Amino acid sequence: MSTTTNALPDWSPEAVVFDCDGTLMDTESHWQDARNQVFRGFGIRPAPGFAERAKGVHYIDCGRLMAQEADKPRLAEEMTDALLHHFMARVADDPVTMPGAAEFVRRLSGRLPLAVASNCPLEVVEASLDRAGLLGHFGHIVVPDEEGHRAGNEEPVRPKPWPDVYATAARLCGAAPRRALAVEDSMTGIESARRAGLRVVGVGPYPGSEDAVRADLWVPALHAPSLTAWVESWPARGARG
């Protein structure tokens, strides 16, 4: 199902910023496997609905959430480290792109600036995209600052749902946020992009009208005919007003 809420097909972007997990790379199952391994390793049974609550959440925040739900907040750092370790092992074994993602990125590559805005660690994003043959198509990859690690007096780049990763990616691409398009699969990411001022294409199973209207366009996958037709209608970059 494809839906539009803000006449997006009458508009074209000056840059496109992609989420990584669940949008470009099929890694949501890897995160779920990693969370399950951590829970099992600590002898904890997750509460119902935890996977959905954790979707799109920065891994450090996810580790905290896991510890809180287990009523063991003192284990947050240890669970976070274990979560990242298990996830990176799964990605190394199975780097798979989402349906239509590789073709969609290659269709846009060279037509306008492309970037990635992710809640994952930089090394995970770069390794995943590199193994999928997509890394070279992106001019910029923006991820949240690790806690306590940033240069000088620069403002921290906070994780989604804060707007920072999308606002920074649009700026690095040379586009005002209102002229940039975000491509996202999670409500956390959609909130981040909208707070930054970007238009949004939501990708994945139709979430229901209440959530779908938070995106300007919702498509089931990046090879959806409606999305392909819209992209092909974009003017050449030099012809943009």
Side-chain angles (χ1 to χ4, degrees), residues 193-230:
R194 293 199 69 84
R195 290 173 66 182
L198 282 70
R199 299 284 191 98
V200 184
V201 169
V203 184
Y206 189 70
S209 299
E210 186 174 342
D211 284 332
V213 296
R214 296 168 64 186
D216 297 275
L217 173 69
W218 197 278
V219 294
L222 289 175
H223 52 36
S226 58
L227 182 59
T228 300
W230 177 50

Side-chain angles (χ1 to χ4, degrees), residues 54-184:
K55 186 176 181 180
V57 174
H58 187 258
Y59 79 96
I60 292 176
D61 294 328
C62 186
R64 290 195 190 108
L65 182 61
M66 295 172 75
Q68 289 168 3
E69 295 222 353
D71 198 26
K72 297 183 178 181
R74 68 187 183 282
L75 295 179
E77 184 174 352
E78 191 175 350
M79 295 180 81
T80 297
D81 291 344
L83 176 66
L84 183 59
H85 170 77
H86 290 309
F87 173 74
M88 292 183 72
R90 292 287 292 120
V91 169
D93 289 341
D94 187 24
V96 178
T97 56
M98 293 297 291
E103 296 86 349
F104 188 67
V105 169
R106 293 182 181 119
R107 180 176 287 114
L108 296 182
S109 185
R111 294 183 60 180
L112 73 176
L114 303 181
V116 173
S118 175
N119 266 355
C120 279
L122 181 62
E123 63 269 24
V124 173
V125 178
E126 289 183 335
S128 298
L129 294 176
D130 187 39
R131 292 197 64 185
L134 297 178
L135 183 60
H137 295 290
F138 297 100
H140 307 281
I141 297 175
V142 180
V143 301
D145 295 321
E146 296 293 336
E147 293 185 345
H149 296 83
R150 62 178 184 274
N153 295 319
E154 294 179 5
E155 290 295 318
V157 176
R158 298 165 295 184
K160 306 170 189 178
W162 293 98
D164 303 20
V165 289
Y166 276 107
T168 300
R171 175 176 57 79
L172 291 173
C173 286
R178 63 183 177 82
R179 297 299 309 164
L181 178 69
V183 185
E184 264 287 355

